Amino acid sequence: MPTGAKSRSPEYRLAAGALSGLRQDLFKDPFAYRPLPPWSPDGPLLGRLPERVRRYAVWTPHAVVLGAALFTLLIAFAVGDSMGGDVIHALSGFVPALAVAMTLIRPVGAWWISLVSTPFVAIMGGDGFGAPWAPAGFFAHLVVMTVVAARTRPRTAAWMWAGTAAFGFFASVFWYSMDPDTAPMLFVSALALLVTTSVHIRREAKVEMTAQRQVTAVERDKRTLLEERTNIARELHDVVAHHMSVVAIQAEAAPYRVENPPPELEQAFVTIRENAVAALTELRRVLGVVRAEDYEAPDAPQPTLADLGRLLENVREAGLRVGQTVTGAVRDLPQGVELSAYRIVQEALSNALRHAPGAEACVEVSYVLGGLGLRIVNGPPTGLVKPSPGAGHGITGMRERIAMLSGEMTAGPTADGGYEVAAFVPVAAPEPKPEPEATTTTATDRSGDPA
């Protein structure tokens, strides 16, 4: 059987992984400098406090740990006074207090100091032949493990508890203790570590969930943008394909409408037709990349601003009271502009139906010299139906259409609680058609001379 990592048993790999975790958590650079950062002043708890109080409240964890260190000293002094006021008994609390304070800057090293100093602290406290932990050391070790568990990860908490258990059992066997306190230490520390680890895991899960939600929201916005661009590409294909087909047909039929056309003119029309057909072929090939397999091009022509009347009727039947105002001289616009303007009005009215049930709306279409202006305004919801929540995808699609046409758009709530969408699409003014030149005819006789 070949030797190597692949031939080792799962039990061996599990044990190797456990030992690697132990070495990583407790033995690799245990005295590394890792200061405890202050709380965020903008957190859910401190954010409600006044600014002057918040500057000091961020150091609450540090104050709690130093308070526990001071309490450790008080326990040692109290035990020393009860046993005759021996200074050595009182001094036995300094090392555990130092270990507690050390958790603020070197957490893993503080646990090692608390564990290794336990027998010496017990001897100094007059308990060398009794329980492994002196009262001050007992309290300090619990605090150290709790703080280290909160600052590291659950696996480190498990290793610390296992190390404490191994030390406790060793002391119970070889210390000749008649009343060991290993069992209370393991029980209380297990409860403390369990609570601390649960809170730690919950906090990490909350942070990870928040980050995942942000990533999901960004990905959803990107997907919405790509879907809207795909829809625009499909609609533009139908518009451009129609015009290119007309160009190709007209170029093919034009030579037959002129009697005895020169060869140069015939060749020019052939070139025009070939370029139109080639452009149409390339357009269909490119669009095939973004067109879904189950997508079918619509049989009916794409809607224009002339179809707004039917759209408004449908919206009124759905329950939205909407009016229409048209200003300026109505004229034919490029089909892409007409289609995008229709879609923007359609999406804005759909948003009003969803988010402002029972409201009134108004659609303003302005034909100006430099382009086309759109303004769709709806009032606040007044019906009994609750507004439906939205993700802003409709606004994203409208902005994409306006950006495609090099226009400008604004969207936002109004002062009365409604919503307004305003857009302007620049359109070049149509060139004036040249007037036909007046021709005069002179009567001539059959010989060609004027009569």
Side-chain angles (χ1 to χ4, degrees):
M1 178 179 296
T3 59
K6 294 183 179 180
S7 61
R8 291 169 179 170
S9 63
E11 293 79 4
Y12 177 85
R13 290 195 296 268
L14 182 62
L19 292 178
S20 176
L22 173 62
R23 183 172 60 253
Q24 181 73 22
D25 294 338
L26 296 183
F27 290 94
K28 183 179 180 181
D29 200 6
F31 290 92
Y33 182 69
R34 301 169 188 172
L36 177 65
W39 276 352
S40 173
D42 300 326
L45 183 61
L46 300 186
R48 304 177 182 178
L49 300 177
E51 179 66 25
R52 186 170 54 183
V53 178
R54 198 185 309 173
R55 288 183 299 176
Y56 301 99
V58 296
W59 302 103
T60 301
H62 303 73
V64 172
V65 173
L66 294 179
L70 179 61
F71 190 72
T72 303
L73 286 175
L74 295 178
I75 294 176
F77 276 106
V79 173
D81 290 339
S82 65
M83 298 184 67
D86 192 352
V87 178
I88 298 179
H89 287 83
L91 294 178
S92 64
F94 279 99
V95 175
L98 176 64
V100 172
M102 192 175 174
T103 58
L104 295 176
I105 54 176
R106 308 180 192 276
V108 178
W111 179 81
W112 279 111
I113 289 179
S114 177
L115 186 67
V116 173
S117 64
T118 296
F120 303 101
V121 172
I123 293 174
M124 291 176 63
D127 207 15
F129 296 96
W133 280 276
F138 189 96
F139 175 78
H141 197 66
L142 287 177
V143 174
V144 167
M145 285 200 294
T146 303
V147 176
V148 175
R151 294 201 55 193
T152 53
R153 51 184 173 180
R155 190 178 67 180
T156 305
W159 285 123
M160 287 192 303
W161 189 87
T164 302
F167 169 79
F169 287 123
F170 176 83
S172 300
V173 173
F174 296 98
W175 212 312
Y176 305 103
S177 175
M178 301 302 296
D179 187 20
D181 53 7
T182 300
M185 166 62 74
L186 295 181
F187 178 75
V188 177
S189 63
L191 291 180
L193 294 179
L194 181 61
V195 173
T196 305
T197 303
S198 300
V199 174
H200 188 63
I201 292 176
R202 183 177 180 182
R203 183 171 62 248
E204 287 186 346
K206 187 177 181 179
V207 172
E208 184 177 357
M209 184 178 298
T210 302
Q212 186 64 34
R213 286 178 179 175
Q214 294 177 352
V215 172
T216 303
V218 172
E219 293 297 331
R220 183 170 58 246
D221 291 341
K222 290 182 179 180
R223 184 173 66 251
T224 302
L225 186 62
L226 292 176
E227 290 176 355
E228 189 61 32
R229 288 181 178 179
T230 302
N231 293 333
I232 295 174
R234 293 169 179 170
E235 293 174 350
L236 285 181
H237 166 263
D238 299 328
V239 174
V240 178
H242 168 73
H243 290 294
M244 296 301 294
S245 299
V246 172
V247 169
I249 294 174
Q250 292 290 341
E252 185 176 7
Y256 299 99
R257 298 182 180 180
V258 180
E259 185 177 357
N260 298 324
E264 295 82 2
L265 183 61
E266 290 185 354
Q267 183 60 38
F269 281 120
V270 170
T271 303
I272 293 174
R273 181 183 181 279
E274 290 177 352
N275 290 334
V277 172
L280 187 60
T281 302
E282 290 296 327
L283 177 64
R284 289 170 177 169
R285 181 181 297 112
V286 172
L287 190 66
V289 178
V290 298
R291 191 184 293 273
E293 296 180 358
D294 56 348
Y295 175 79
E296 296 182 0
D299 297 331
Q302 296 291 346
T304 62
L305 290 176
D307 301 315
L308 279 182
R310 286 181 293 180
L311 173 63
L312 298 183
E313 287 297 329
N314 292 335
V315 173
R316 293 189 186 102
E317 292 177 359
L320 181 67
R321 292 170 292 175
V322 58
Q324 180 183 9
T325 303
V326 180
T327 59
V330 179
R331 66 180 187 273
D332 292 334
L333 300 175
Q335 193 168 357
V337 175
E338 295 262 357
L339 174 62
S340 295
Y342 179 91
R343 296 301 188 197
I344 290 174
V345 175
Q346 183 183 41
E347 182 61 34
L349 294 179
S350 299
N351 288 342
L353 279 172
R354 290 193 298 268
H355 308 317
E360 294 184 2
C362 179
V363 177
E364 298 179 8
V365 182
S366 303
Y367 292 87
V368 296
L369 184 61
L372 176 69
L374 297 174
R375 184 171 178 265
I376 305 95
V377 184
N378 64 269
T382 58
L384 298 178
V385 181
K386 294 183 179 180
S388 301
H393 296 166
I395 300 296
T396 303
M398 287 189 280
R399 293 189 187 279
E400 187 68 16
R401 290 181 181 275
I402 292 297
M404 177 191 67
L405 299 173
S406 301
E408 298 178 356
M409 172 183 160
T410 59
T414 59
D416 60 351
Y419 203 83
E420 177 184 6
V421 175
F424 177 78
V425 180
V427 179
E431 297 181 359
K433 296 182 180 180
E435 298 181 358
E437 298 180 358
T439 57
T440 59
T441 57
T442 305
T444 56
D445 58 8
R446 294 181 182 275
S447 62
D449 296 330

